[in-house]
Amino acid sequence: MIPTTSLAIAQLILFTPCLLLSIYVTIRHGFGRQSGWLYLIIFTIVRVLGAALEVAANSTHPPKTSLYVAAATLSSVGLSPLLLAMLGLEARANNTLDVAHAFSHRLIGLMHLPTLLALVFSIIGGTNISSNIHTARTWLRVAIIIFFVMYLAQSVLALLLFSRVKYVPRPDRVLIYALCASIPFFAVRLIYAVLDDFLTHSATFQLINGSIVARGLMATLEEFIIVVLYLTAGCMIPKLTKAAARHAWTGHAEAKAATAEGIAPVNGDAAQVQQQQGYTQQHTMGQEGGYAQQQGLHQQDGYLPPTSGREPRRNRKVRGPIHMLIRWIQDKK
């Protein structure tokens, strides 16, 4: 058996269960709420397909170049969904922080763009390997440089999240621990990619014809450990409800507006910020305390508003002449 075939079979054995578990975790947390879990599905699919194509290429006589090119292309683009999964999970962890300590969601969202651009470069480079090797290596080198820069930025973000882990609910802290634990394995995987793209005359660091030991220990094993860390965290952390996710996004905008108006302190704690945000945030979370003042006014008239999270109809803001007339009639009663 060809050594590369043995490694490809090992990848099938490792990543096929990860694919199934990724689907379960993504269904558990939701496809649209946190993109990090979805990228894990994409990554495991890429690895399973790439390994299957490599086995097929080694099984044909003579070997088909097109299958090798397809396998090499899938291998080169694999780093992109894995980095995007890391960034998506960092956004998920950031959602669990209160508005006083969380980072900007817009900034984290913009960090996806360079990685997606590097993905395009990787595809262009992978498809040109058989036709123009020099052009292909140029595209792949640009892609790996972008990957490395984004890895550094995302590692800093993971460490910053770890520095604020005391503000994260205990059940959600395991996700931040998993993100920080994956940093050294990402480093080894990226070092292998850099050596593969820049050491063109080395027989060890070659994706297809290089050392199987180096590829297995510095690429396949690292990717498998990273996926296991993320999936383990995904099985342990609680689901993020739609209300909590919506509050995480709207809460930051409200805190930013409050700070711009000079309401929120520069280094104030979460309780003060939430108190200064007032009625809007309390209504979003459905807290009963948000209506304390309104309830006190109505109790003087012998009226008790409903205790549900929805705002009483009589307390809603009047916006037009018809509503003013209805309000006037209600007050007369």
Side-chain angles (χ1 to χ4, degrees):
M1 182 181 294
I2 303 176
T4 55
T5 303
S6 301
L7 183 59
I9 293 175
Q11 288 180 337
L12 288 173
I13 295 174
L14 291 176
F15 288 108
T16 299
C18 291
L19 172 59
L20 300 177
L21 187 57
S22 299
I23 295 174
Y24 163 75
V25 172
T26 305
I27 293 175
R28 180 174 181 266
H29 291 279
F31 285 86
R33 298 177 190 173
Q34 300 299 328
S35 59
W37 312 113
L38 183 59
Y39 285 123
L40 285 178
I41 294 180
I42 296 174
F43 173 78
T44 50
I45 289 176
V46 167
R47 283 295 173 256
V48 169
L49 288 179
L53 288 173
E54 195 168 348
V55 171
N58 294 329
S59 301
T60 57
H61 301 282
K64 292 184 178 180
T65 306
S66 59
L67 294 178
Y68 281 113
V69 172
T73 302
L74 290 175
S75 181
S76 63
V77 303
L79 277 174
S80 180
L82 196 59
L83 282 171
L84 290 173
M86 180 183 184
L87 186 59
L89 298 184
E90 287 175 338
R92 165 65 173 81
N94 190 51
N95 285 342
T96 60
L97 286 168
D98 54 69
V99 295
H101 300 94
F103 300 97
S104 171
H105 286 275
R106 292 184 179 180
L107 178 61
I108 297 177
L110 290 176
M111 290 175 66
H112 285 82
L113 299 180
T115 306
L116 292 175
L117 182 63
L119 171 62
V120 175
F121 293 161
S122 299
I123 295 175
I124 296 175
T127 54
N128 285 283
I129 288 179
S130 60
S131 60
N132 192 335
I133 187 63
H134 297 289
T135 302
R137 286 195 176 278
T138 300
W139 285 107
L140 291 174
R141 287 173 180 175
V142 174
I144 197 60
I145 290 173
I146 297 176
F147 284 147
F148 196 82
V149 172
M150 294 310 301
Y151 158 73
L152 294 177
Q154 292 176 204
S155 298
V156 171
L157 179 58
L159 294 176
L160 289 175
L161 289 170
F162 179 77
S163 67
R164 305 183 181 186
V165 72
K166 63 181 180 180
Y167 302 108
V168 176
R170 288 189 178 275
D172 293 299
R173 294 180 182 180
V174 65
L175 180 57
I176 297 180
Y177 298 151
L179 289 168
C180 293
S182 68
I183 291 177
F185 299 103
F186 258 115
V188 176
R189 176 62 182 91
L190 283 168
I191 289 173
Y192 179 83
V194 170
L195 296 175
D196 177 29
D197 289 333
F198 286 90
L199 296 183
T200 56
H201 301 291
S202 175
T204 302
F205 302 102
Q206 296 294 325
L207 189 61
I208 300 299
N209 299 319
S211 172
I212 299 301
V213 176
R215 181 183 168 190
L217 295 179
M218 297 183 67
T220 303
L221 181 60
E222 271 64 30
E223 292 174 349
F224 176 71
I225 293 175
I226 292 170
V227 171
V228 169
L229 285 172
Y230 292 167
L231 291 178
T232 302
C235 294
M236 296 177 64
I237 63 174
K239 293 175 59 177
L240 186 67
T241 62
K242 291 183 178 180
R246 183 170 57 251
H247 169 66
W249 284 85
T250 57
H252 286 284
E254 294 169 1
K256 184 177 180 180
T259 304
E261 295 175 1
I263 299 176
V266 177
N267 296 320
D269 59 357
Q272 292 176 346
V273 174
Q274 292 175 357
Q275 182 179 3
Q276 289 153 358
Q277 288 173 359
Y279 168 78
T280 304
Q281 180 177 346
Q282 292 175 356
H283 172 61
T284 304
M285 298 298 293
Q287 296 178 353
E288 183 179 356
Y291 304 111
Q293 183 177 0
Q294 290 87 344
Q295 288 178 356
L297 294 176
H298 286 294
Q299 286 175 358
Q300 295 177 1
D301 299 332
Y303 172 78
L304 293 177
T307 58
S308 63
R310 188 177 180 182
E311 183 184 3
R313 184 177 298 275
R314 293 184 59 182
N315 293 342
R316 296 180 184 176
K317 185 177 180 180
V318 178
R319 300 185 181 275
I322 297 179
H323 292 279
M324 292 178 64
L325 179 60
I326 296 175
R327 181 64 179 273
W328 181 79
I329 296 174
Q330 290 177 345
D331 292 338
K332 288 298 183 180
K333 293 181 180 180

